Every structure is written in C-alpha cells, then in structure tokens.
Amino acid sequence: MKIVISQPMYFPWIGMFEQVRLSDIFVFYDDVQFSKGSFTNRVQVKYNNKEGFKWLTVPASNLNLGVNINELKIDHTKNWQGEHLDILKASYEKAPFYTEMKTIVETLFSTKTDSLSDLTIKSMELVMDYYGFKDKLTISKSSELAINGKSTQRVFDIVKHYNCNVYITGHGAKKYFDHELFDNNGIAVEYIDYKKNEYPQLLGPFNPYVSILDLIANTGKEGIKYINSGTVYWKQFLEQSN
C-alpha cells in the first residue's frame, strides 16, 4: 500500500496529482502551520505572452503567525472568485476544454464554507473526481486521526496507522527527513521523479509548473496521459540530487 501525506493546495500543479495517482491512501496534512509564500492558497496560471503568468490567491482573514492551515478563514470581503474567473477567462477562453475547466471552478465556488483548508481540499478532490483518481483512494485529514507529534515521527506514525509499506513524497522533504526511521521499519521512502511532460499549451513557451487547470483547459480528460511520473528510491534520489 502506498501513501502520500500532503498539505492541501489550491488547484495545484500536475506534479501534485502525479503523487495522487500513485497513492492508495492520501492524507491531507491540514493541521500544520501555514507557511507564508506556500502554495496552500495560491497557484500560478499562464496569462499572456507579455506578463507570463498571474497568481490566483484565495485571501485569508486571519493570517497570523503560527496559525494552522485548518484554522485559516477565507476573507469573504474580497471578490476573489470573480477575479479568478476573469483571469481564467482571459487566459483560457480559446482553449478547447475551457468550459470543462470553468465548470470545475464554478462548482468549487458554489461550495459554502469559511474554511480555507476545506476549500482547497475540495479543489483537489474535484480534480481527483474529474480524472477518476478518487475511485481507488482512501482520503482523510491528519486533523481527524488523533495522531500527535511533529516532523518525521508524526509522518511515520500516520504511515504506520494505515499499514502502508511505501511512503511517496515530493522533493521538499529531502533535507530534514529521517529516512532511516522508515528503512528500519520496513517502509520504503520514494521521491516523485517529475517528468514535467510537455503538452499542448497556449500563451507562449511551455511551463510545467502552472495549475492543473491549465492541463484541463488544454487537453480535457485526455490529459491524464501526461500525469504519469514515477518514483525513485530515496538513496538514489539523494545521489542524483548531489
């Protein structure tokens, strides 16, 4: 059984969904501290050849030091939904599957919630539904598991809770992660090996780091074939990274 544990993100890039596709268990790490500048509440989309891209940001009303992701509240005083739809229209109205992408976004915006975490989780689940990933997944939130602790030890305890033997992660963990803790307990740590596959894309040179909404607008459900990166064992990954 393979598990991914990730902070919720707002319509994140393809690489996040490559982790989703590889996993059997997906845990939203929602009760950890929000990091300013993270992708929890913002994502890039291509905009035009001159500006290159724009940020879609969900504003929070309580961005205080030390606040956890699942404690963040959406700032409803700002018309961010309208701004996001305007940007997406300007960027993708000429894309072949613009309507399908717009429907996903409008479905999210019809969700009544004050929780930024719940909104971002819903954004990812809508994409999981669109590509059929959700059918095979067990999905949960770390805040619902009553597993305390921090750093590698807490991640390890969550993996053990689900009796998984493979933990898949992105590249951000390589500097602090206690790989031996997992090895010593028969759990393989694998890093995603991002292919950054090029697909048909509007508005200038290809950019692999923009929102998954770009893939949907340009390729529709056929875009699933571009969500196909594999993994590499942690020792090999660290060797390649040096």
Side-chain angles (χ1 to χ4, degrees), residues 162-179:
Y162 284 105
N163 295 314
C164 291
N165 58 355
V166 178
Y167 170 64
I168 297 172
T169 183
H171 295 182
K174 67 178 182 178
K175 292 183 179 179
Y176 69 86
F177 202 79
D178 184 357
H179 301 89

Side-chain angles (χ1 to χ4, degrees), residues 68-79:
N68 284 346
I69 292 171
N70 64 339
E71 297 170 336
L72 289 170
K73 301 298 181 183
I74 299 169
D75 184 354
H76 289 298
T77 66
K78 300 177 180 178
N79 183 25

Side-chain angles (χ1 to χ4, degrees), residues 134-153:
K134 202 174 176 185
D135 297 339
K136 73 173 186 71
L137 277 175
T138 296
I139 300 173
S140 67
K141 303 175 186 177
S142 58
S143 59
E144 298 173 341
L145 298 178
I147 297 174
N148 298 318
K150 56 186 178 180
S151 195
T152 304
Q153 184 62 52

Side-chain angles (χ1 to χ4, degrees), residues 19-132:
Q19 293 185 49
V20 170
R21 190 176 190 183
L22 291 167
S23 64
D24 302 296
I25 312 289
F26 192 93
V27 179
F28 285 106
Y29 213 25
D30 65 329
D31 58 350
V32 293
Q33 188 172 320
F34 173 78
S35 298
K36 188 176 181 180
S38 72
F39 295 99
T40 298
N41 66 325
R42 63 177 193 151
V43 70
Q44 293 179 0
V45 293
K46 296 187 79 173
Y47 190 64
N48 59 41
N49 293 336
K50 184 177 180 180
E51 295 183 56
F53 68 88
K54 276 190 179 293
W55 287 100
L56 303 181
T57 302
V58 183
S61 60
N62 61 329
L63 277 179
N64 304 314
L65 185 65
V67 66
N68 284 346
I69 292 171
N70 64 339
E71 297 170 336
L72 289 170
K73 301 298 181 183
I74 299 169
D75 184 354
H76 289 298
T77 66
K78 300 177 180 178
N79 183 25
W80 58 272
Q81 298 102 321
E83 178 186 335
H84 291 193
L85 288 171
D86 287 346
I87 291 171
L88 290 170
K89 181 177 181 180
S91 296
Y92 300 112
E93 189 174 24
K94 295 181 180 179
F97 299 94
Y98 166 69
T99 302
E100 291 186 20
M101 181 270 286
K102 181 170 176 272
T103 298
I104 291 172
V105 176
E106 289 177 336
T107 300
L108 177 69
F109 290 171
S110 70
T111 303
K112 303 301 181 184
T113 182
D114 292 322
S115 168
L116 194 148
S117 177
D118 287 350
L119 183 88
T120 56
I121 288 172
K122 180 69 173 178
S123 79
M124 291 180 64
E125 288 183 334
L126 284 168
V127 176
M128 293 178 196
D129 276 332
Y130 180 77
Y131 285 117

